[in-house]
Amino acid sequence: MAKKFQLVDTFEQRTPTTPPETNWKLCLVCQEETTESLVCPVLSKRRDPGSGYTTMAANLVKFDELGKLPRTVQLQRLDEGQGVEATMVAHQAKWHKTCMLQYNNTMLRRAEKRLIASSSAFGSTDNVPGKRARTHSSEATTSGTSCFFCGKSGTETLHEVATFQVDTRVRKCAAQVGDNELMARLSMGDMVALEAKYHSKCLLALYYRAKTTVEAEQKTDHEGVMSRIVLAELVLYIEETHLEEGTAPVFRLADLAKLYTTRMEQLGVALCKKVNSTRLTERLLAQLPGLRSQSKGRDVLLAFDEDIGEALGKACEQDCDTEADL
Ligand SMILES: [Zn+2]
Ligand SMILES: [Zn+2]
């Protein structure tokens, strides 16, 4: 691996020690007595005092996942089993405002960005599913000296999974991206019990893969839903025109396709390719049993069986005149 420049982060200088007990009378973060006054969310005048704990707990867990918690803030001492937030609430945790600010959303995003920047410098080949298999063995996952995800130890710091939140999220992500190999490893037990270690960049890579997968699925899903709505509108439009007294409507497929595209765009779905006319015809014919399609020159015309003999013939002769009715 090529050497790369990296900002020295004082947070990195972590040595494994058994965490001391938390003194809940002191600042949760620094555990030091200073002149700065302590803030306690329970005593705050905000309408929802608990939300202070929710954010702080969630952010500390995320910082821990990124391996960016300093030695003084070990989650083990902040989680008595029911999760960090519940433990904080139970002890009415307090903190210095300056200490809290180090773990707010802005700092979290900054830490994430820095990690992504450094992980993209390593290249993405690590995350190609097929390529990972070569270094993996079931022994590697339990030996605790290699990364749970990439199977390598590498030169980067390996972090230990300290909370069940990480395990839960990894499981969810593995399912979302459909990583069977990872799910098989997770079936051996929870990551905390397995004493699983990980590179921050590998964990983040999984999170990002899951995020993009879900987003892509939602997009496809959204397009499908909109498409069904627009098709239903098109069917209704055809039916209504057909029911109008004294008309025997003939529809040009090209016009219907244009209508479909316009309506989809109005609903915020920009179609990246031209509407598949054959597929559109199939869908329309499936929903309108009386409708028949017939090619006429370059056009495909759609009309109802009962009108077909008369109207289709006329439409072809008069060409433009009948289109005014549509
Ligand atoms: Zn403090
Ligand atoms: Zn790794």
Short mmCIF file of all heavy atoms in Angstrom, two decimals, residues 20-21 27 73 77 82 93 102 118 124 145 170 177 180 185 192 257 283 285 293 298 307:
data_model
loop_
_atom_site.label_atom_id
_atom_site.label_comp_id
_atom_site.label_asym_id
_atom_site.label_seq_id
_atom_site.Cartn_x
_atom_site.Cartn_y
_atom_site.Cartn_z
N PRO A 20 -12.47 3.17 33.48
CA PRO A 20 -12.84 3.46 34.87
C PRO A 20 -14.35 3.66 34.97
O PRO A 20 -15.03 3.85 33.98
CB PRO A 20 -12.09 4.76 35.16
CG PRO A 20 -11.93 5.40 33.83
CD PRO A 20 -11.88 4.31 32.80
N GLU A 21 -14.84 3.59 36.17
CA GLU A 21 -16.26 3.84 36.38
C GLU A 21 -16.56 5.30 36.07
O GLU A 21 -15.71 6.16 36.25
CB GLU A 21 -16.60 3.58 37.86
CG GLU A 21 -16.47 2.14 38.28
CD GLU A 21 -17.81 1.44 38.22
OE1 GLU A 21 -18.75 1.95 38.86
OE2 GLU A 21 -17.92 0.43 37.52
N CYS A 27 -18.59 15.94 34.61
CA CYS A 27 -18.88 15.99 33.17
C CYS A 27 -18.69 14.60 32.58
O CYS A 27 -17.64 13.97 32.76
CB CYS A 27 -17.94 16.99 32.49
SG CYS A 27 -17.93 16.86 30.70
N VAL A 73 -13.38 8.75 26.87
CA VAL A 73 -14.81 8.52 26.68
C VAL A 73 -15.01 7.13 26.10
O VAL A 73 -15.12 6.97 24.89
CB VAL A 73 -15.43 9.56 25.72
CG1 VAL A 73 -16.95 9.49 25.79
CG2 VAL A 73 -14.96 10.95 26.03
N ARG A 77 -18.17 2.43 29.60
CA ARG A 77 -18.49 3.01 30.90
C ARG A 77 -19.77 3.85 30.85
O ARG A 77 -20.25 4.32 31.86
CB ARG A 77 -17.30 3.81 31.44
CG ARG A 77 -17.10 5.19 30.83
CD ARG A 77 -16.10 6.00 31.66
NE ARG A 77 -15.63 7.18 30.94
CZ ARG A 77 -16.30 8.34 30.88
NH1 ARG A 77 -17.47 8.44 31.47
NH2 ARG A 77 -15.79 9.35 30.21
N GLN A 82 -28.52 -1.15 28.96
CA GLN A 82 -29.76 -0.78 28.26
C GLN A 82 -29.48 0.25 27.17
O GLN A 82 -30.39 0.87 26.65
CB GLN A 82 -30.81 -0.19 29.20
CG GLN A 82 -30.85 -0.72 30.60
CD GLN A 82 -29.91 0.04 31.53
OE1 GLN A 82 -28.79 0.39 31.18
NE2 GLN A 82 -30.37 0.30 32.74
N ALA A 93 -27.16 12.39 33.42
CA ALA A 93 -25.81 12.78 33.00
C ALA A 93 -25.69 14.28 32.76
O ALA A 93 -26.65 14.93 32.33
CB ALA A 93 -25.45 12.01 31.74
N GLN A 102 -17.93 19.11 21.14
CA GLN A 102 -17.00 18.27 20.36
C GLN A 102 -17.70 17.09 19.70
O GLN A 102 -17.15 16.44 18.83
CB GLN A 102 -15.89 17.73 21.26
CG GLN A 102 -14.96 18.79 21.77
CD GLN A 102 -13.99 18.18 22.75
OE1 GLN A 102 -13.48 17.10 22.53
NE2 GLN A 102 -13.76 18.86 23.86
N SER A 118 -10.21 9.75 3.45
CA SER A 118 -9.04 8.88 3.59
C SER A 118 -9.33 7.48 3.06
O SER A 118 -8.44 6.81 2.55
CB SER A 118 -8.60 8.81 5.05
OG SER A 118 -9.55 8.13 5.82
N SER A 124 -11.33 1.49 -4.02
CA SER A 124 -12.56 0.81 -3.62
C SER A 124 -12.50 -0.68 -3.83
O SER A 124 -13.46 -1.38 -3.58
CB SER A 124 -13.74 1.39 -4.39
OG SER A 124 -13.47 1.29 -5.76
N THR A 145 -7.79 -10.47 15.26
CA THR A 145 -6.64 -9.66 14.86
C THR A 145 -6.84 -9.05 13.49
O THR A 145 -6.00 -8.32 13.02
CB THR A 145 -5.35 -10.50 14.83
OG1 THR A 145 -5.60 -11.64 14.01
CG2 THR A 145 -4.95 -10.94 16.21
N VAL A 170 -25.03 -3.14 11.35
CA VAL A 170 -24.29 -3.94 10.38
C VAL A 170 -25.19 -5.03 9.79
O VAL A 170 -25.21 -5.26 8.59
CB VAL A 170 -23.03 -4.55 11.02
CG1 VAL A 170 -22.43 -5.64 10.15
CG2 VAL A 170 -22.00 -3.46 11.28
N VAL A 177 -27.74 -4.73 1.40
CA VAL A 177 -26.89 -4.87 0.21
C VAL A 177 -26.87 -6.31 -0.28
O VAL A 177 -26.32 -6.59 -1.34
CB VAL A 177 -25.44 -4.38 0.47
CG1 VAL A 177 -25.42 -2.94 0.88
CG2 VAL A 177 -24.75 -5.24 1.52
N ASN A 180 -24.28 -11.96 1.28
CA ASN A 180 -24.50 -13.26 1.93
C ASN A 180 -23.31 -13.71 2.76
O ASN A 180 -23.46 -14.32 3.80
CB ASN A 180 -24.81 -14.33 0.87
CG ASN A 180 -26.15 -14.07 0.22
OD1 ASN A 180 -27.07 -13.57 0.86
ND2 ASN A 180 -26.24 -14.36 -1.07
N ARG A 185 -21.24 -14.72 8.27
CA ARG A 185 -20.33 -14.47 9.39
C ARG A 185 -21.10 -13.94 10.60
O ARG A 185 -20.78 -14.25 11.73
CB ARG A 185 -19.24 -13.47 8.96
CG ARG A 185 -17.91 -14.17 8.70
CD ARG A 185 -16.90 -13.19 8.17
NE ARG A 185 -17.23 -12.77 6.80
CZ ARG A 185 -17.08 -11.57 6.34
NH1 ARG A 185 -16.62 -10.61 7.10
NH2 ARG A 185 -17.38 -11.30 5.07
N VAL A 192 -20.34 -8.16 19.24
CA VAL A 192 -19.72 -7.87 20.53
C VAL A 192 -19.16 -9.16 21.13
O VAL A 192 -18.01 -9.22 21.56
CB VAL A 192 -20.75 -7.22 21.51
CG1 VAL A 192 -20.10 -6.92 22.84
CG2 VAL A 192 -21.31 -5.95 20.90
N ALA A 257 -47.94 7.93 -25.86
CA ALA A 257 -46.60 7.84 -25.25
C ALA A 257 -46.13 9.22 -24.82
O ALA A 257 -45.53 9.39 -23.76
CB ALA A 257 -45.62 7.23 -26.25
N ARG A 283 -49.51 -2.84 -21.81
CA ARG A 283 -50.14 -2.46 -20.54
C ARG A 283 -51.53 -1.89 -20.78
O ARG A 283 -52.46 -2.16 -20.00
CB ARG A 283 -49.26 -1.44 -19.82
CG ARG A 283 -47.96 -2.03 -19.32
CD ARG A 283 -47.03 -0.97 -18.80
NE ARG A 283 -47.39 -0.52 -17.45
CZ ARG A 283 -46.83 0.54 -16.86
NH1 ARG A 283 -45.94 1.26 -17.49
NH2 ARG A 283 -47.20 0.89 -15.64
N LEU A 285 -53.55 -2.50 -23.40
CA LEU A 285 -54.45 -3.56 -23.88
C LEU A 285 -54.87 -4.47 -22.73
O LEU A 285 -56.00 -4.95 -22.69
CB LEU A 285 -53.77 -4.38 -24.98
CG LEU A 285 -53.47 -3.65 -26.29
CD1 LEU A 285 -52.93 -4.61 -27.33
CD2 LEU A 285 -54.68 -2.91 -26.82
N SER A 293 -54.86 -2.90 -31.16
CA SER A 293 -53.85 -2.05 -31.81
C SER A 293 -53.66 -2.51 -33.24
O SER A 293 -53.83 -3.68 -33.57
CB SER A 293 -52.52 -2.15 -31.06
OG SER A 293 -51.89 -3.38 -31.34
N ARG A 298 -46.26 4.23 -40.41
CA ARG A 298 -45.31 4.33 -39.31
C ARG A 298 -46.02 4.40 -37.96
O ARG A 298 -45.40 4.29 -36.92
CB ARG A 298 -44.45 5.59 -39.49
CG ARG A 298 -43.38 5.44 -40.57
CD ARG A 298 -42.44 6.61 -40.45
NE ARG A 298 -43.15 7.67 -39.72
CZ ARG A 298 -42.85 8.95 -39.80
NH1 ARG A 298 -41.88 9.34 -40.55
NH2 ARG A 298 -43.53 9.85 -39.14
N ASP A 307 -65.74 -0.23 -32.52
CA ASP A 307 -65.72 0.89 -33.46
C ASP A 307 -64.82 0.61 -34.66
O ASP A 307 -64.78 1.40 -35.60
CB ASP A 307 -65.16 2.16 -32.77
CG ASP A 307 -65.88 2.44 -31.47
OD1 ASP A 307 -67.10 2.21 -31.42
OD2 ASP A 307 -65.22 2.90 -30.52
#
